[in-house]
Amino acid sequence: MNNKNNLIKLRKKINKIDESILFLLSQRNTISKKIIKEKMKIDYPIQDNQREKKIYTKIIQKGKILNLKKKFLLKIFKKIIKNSVNIQKKILKNVKKKISFLGPKGSYSYLAFLKYAKKKIQNFIPLHAKNLKILLIMS
């Protein structure tokens, strides 16, 4: 009976660790959402391959100290990072882009702009520029 009690205690410890992992993943997702907002402000791409390489290198180094296998860590963290990228892509996809066009609404340039934008750009807000100076300022 003592062995069964030990097993139950150990499983409870595992369950607490699993809950901690879930909480940390949730926190990471929240931060990923904040990061994409900052990236949009500075027109920074979603993925940064150099940063990802640094993350993997650091994780592998720390994993060695903790006696964790490289392949195992890479598999987990690639999925975690992919999840963050997907979260950011979803947010970016739903953001409306402000795009300026020159000429009055209904003009040929306006219609050409709409035709092009509808094919090439998702979620956009057309902004009318009355002259080239305004167009450059809006850009």
Side-chain angles (χ1 to χ4, degrees):
M1 190 69 167
N2 192 21
N3 288 341
K4 192 168 184 178
N5 286 338
N6 286 340
L7 178 61
I8 290 169
K9 285 179 186 178
L10 291 171
R11 284 184 173 167
K12 282 183 181 182
K13 286 182 180 184
I14 288 284
N15 290 343
K16 284 188 179 199
I17 292 169
D18 289 346
E19 285 178 25
S20 295
I21 291 169
L22 289 171
F23 178 75
L24 291 171
L25 288 171
S26 174
Q27 282 187 311
R28 193 178 202 288
N29 287 351
T30 299
I31 293 169
S32 289
K33 291 172 186 176
K34 290 177 182 179
I35 286 173
I36 189 59
K37 290 175 184 174
E38 295 304 315
K39 286 178 179 177
M40 288 187 302
K41 289 176 188 175
I42 59 172
D43 198 30
Y44 199 80
I46 290 176
Q47 281 191 277
D48 183 342
N49 292 330
Q50 288 181 334
R51 174 163 162 68
E52 285 181 30
K53 285 178 186 176
K54 287 178 184 176
I55 290 170
Y56 297 137
T57 300
K58 192 174 184 180
I59 286 166
I60 290 165
Q61 289 171 349
K62 287 188 176 194
K64 273 184 184 178
I65 295 166
L66 298 170
N67 201 28
L68 295 168
K69 300 212 182 254
K70 175 182 172 180
K71 189 176 178 180
F72 169 72
L73 292 174
L74 286 175
K75 191 172 185 178
I76 289 172
F77 278 89
K78 282 184 179 186
K79 287 190 181 275
I80 289 170
I81 289 172
K82 184 176 182 179
N83 180 65
S84 291
V85 167
N86 289 339
I87 286 169
Q88 292 181 13
K89 281 181 179 179
K90 185 177 178 182
I91 290 170
L92 194 60
K93 184 179 177 183
N94 292 323
V95 171
K96 290 192 175 195
K97 296 165 188 77
K98 294 178 183 178
I99 302 173
S100 304
F101 65 92
L102 190 58
K105 286 185 178 180
S107 68
Y108 177 75
S109 62
Y110 173 74
L111 296 174
F113 158 79
L114 284 181
K115 186 176 181 181
Y116 174 81
K118 285 179 181 175
K119 285 182 183 177
K120 302 287 183 181
I121 305 162
Q122 294 179 344
N123 294 326
F124 67 93
I125 300 170
L127 299 174
H128 175 242
K130 292 179 182 173
N131 61 47
L132 196 54
K133 276 186 186 176
I134 293 172
L135 183 65
L136 293 173
I137 293 168
M138 292 169 77
S139 301

